Amino acid sequence: MTMQAMAGAPDMSGSDEASIAAQARSRIKRHKVQVMLGQAGIAVFVIAGWQIAAMTGFIDPFFFGSPVGIVQRLYDWVLNGTAYGPFWLQIWITLEEALLGFIVGVSSGIVVGVTLGEIPYLAEVVGPYIKIVNALPRIVLGSIFVMWLGLGLSSKVLLAAVLVFFVVFFNAFQGVRSVDRNLVANARILGASRLQVVWNVVFPSAMTWIIASLHVALGFSIIGAIVGEFLGSEKGLGLVIATAQNTFDANGVFGAMLVIGALALSAEWVMAKIEKRLLAWQPVSANERNIQGL
């Protein structure tokens, strides 16, 4: 074939790549739609079955509530507020406690985990005490914090921070221990100080472990705030649930739980977006390749 003929032939590589990319996007979109349909199907099945069971008397709505009753209770709270003030205020107080506890627990867990991971002697000395505190029931710690700090914001934040701390700490500690020591040795050979090695080599290498723990830690921060409010509080969703429980208001209990679940899902969505940005350098996983059909 002559050079002229080759020059005149159309370049199909660009169109092939565009076609493959379009097919991958189509597969991803179709997969997301299928997942959403499956999730919606489960929700409809559970809600419809629950309402039918309550209407036919298969379950007692007084003890088990009903979807319609839950919606009515939430509407009443939004319109008229709760016994402790506006419903949105209760949501904000619980969210504030959870977020502050999450921030304190994550930051302290990372610092302590990286420090003990880098200093084996200190890890051996402090390790037994960390295990002892981690083995204590959280409700006991919550009661102690309420006695120390009262019914205000501080006791709830501290309890949420303790729950978050151990999740992040163990992942950060294990992530530091799993760092490739050849990278550390190469950095030291190039003249990096101990702090530079930790900041530029150890911490980025352990970042995958740390970020993986944040999803669980976020849920634990909400749990810590709710448990703290159960033990003693002046406001918050935990107090709303406790009051509904004491008055045998099943719809109120489930309604507050539904709001907590919505908060957790929203926070998880935000965390997933943050994780995607922080771990954008990672290669596509095998599962994602299967979805894309690549």
Side-chain angles (χ1 to χ4, degrees):
M1 182 181 294
T2 63
M3 295 295 294
Q4 291 80 1
M6 293 177 62
D11 184 9
M12 301 298 294
S13 59
S15 60
D16 290 342
E17 292 178 359
S19 176
I20 293 174
Q23 292 176 4
R25 287 192 295 269
S26 176
R27 290 190 184 95
I28 293 173
K29 185 176 180 180
R30 185 166 60 250
H31 176 77
K32 289 181 178 179
V33 170
Q34 291 173 350
V35 170
M36 292 178 64
L37 288 176
Q39 293 171 342
I42 293 175
V44 170
F45 176 79
V46 172
I47 293 174
W50 187 359
Q51 183 63 37
I52 292 172
M55 293 173 61
T56 57
F58 184 77
I59 60 174
D60 190 347
F62 180 80
F63 294 104
F64 293 92
S66 67
V68 172
I70 293 171
V71 172
Q72 291 174 345
R73 175 64 64 216
L74 289 174
Y75 179 77
D76 178 64
W77 281 344
V78 171
L79 192 65
N80 302 316
T82 66
Y84 310 101
F87 187 51
W88 302 111
L89 178 62
Q90 316 308 315
I91 296 175
W92 166 247
I93 289 175
T94 300
L95 189 60
E96 181 183 17
E97 294 166 350
L99 290 177
L100 290 176
F102 178 78
I103 294 171
V104 174
V106 168
S107 56
S108 58
I110 292 175
V111 171
V112 177
V114 172
T115 301
L116 297 187
E118 277 293 295
I119 307 176
Y121 172 74
L122 187 60
E124 293 177 4
V125 173
V126 181
Y129 299 100
I130 292 179
K131 293 177 182 178
I132 290 173
V133 176
N134 186 41
L136 294 176
R138 300 300 184 258
I139 192 169
V140 174
L141 290 176
S143 301
I144 294 174
F145 295 156
V146 169
M147 288 190 298
W148 286 352
L149 303 173
L151 302 178
L153 180 71
S154 302
S155 58
K156 318 305 180 298
V157 172
L158 186 56
L159 181 58
V162 169
L163 268 68
V164 171
F165 169 82
F166 287 103
V167 176
V168 177
F169 163 76
F170 287 116
N171 272 47
F173 180 79
Q174 188 60 41
V176 171
R177 290 295 182 92
S178 302
V179 174
D180 188 353
R181 291 298 144 182
N182 292 327
L183 296 176
V184 177
N186 292 337
R188 289 179 176 173
I189 290 174
L190 293 174
S193 65
R194 183 70 175 268
L195 184 60
Q196 288 175 329
V197 170
V198 171
W199 182 254
N200 296 303
V201 178
V202 176
F203 184 70
S205 299
M207 183 61 69
T208 303
W209 287 78
I210 295 172
I211 292 179
S213 69
L214 297 184
H215 292 273
V216 179
L218 191 59
F220 273 34
S221 67
I222 298 176
I223 292 173
I226 296 296
V227 171
E229 291 170 353
F230 253 96
L231 295 175
S233 179
E234 298 174 347
K235 294 182 184 298
L237 288 176
L239 182 60
V240 172
I241 294 176
T243 302
Q245 176 187 350
N246 294 333
T247 57
F248 291 94
D249 182 9
N251 291 323
V253 173
F254 284 114
M257 290 172 57
L258 180 63
V259 173
I260 294 171
L263 292 177
L265 285 178
S266 301
E268 177 69 19
W269 180 81
V270 173
M271 184 59 62
K273 294 295 183 182
I274 296 174
E275 179 184 11
K276 187 176 181 181
R277 285 185 174 274
L278 292 177
L279 299 180
W281 53 270
Q282 282 191 331
V284 180
S285 64
N287 185 44
E288 290 174 336
R289 285 197 298 268
N290 292 334
I291 294 175
Q292 296 174 6
L294 300 178

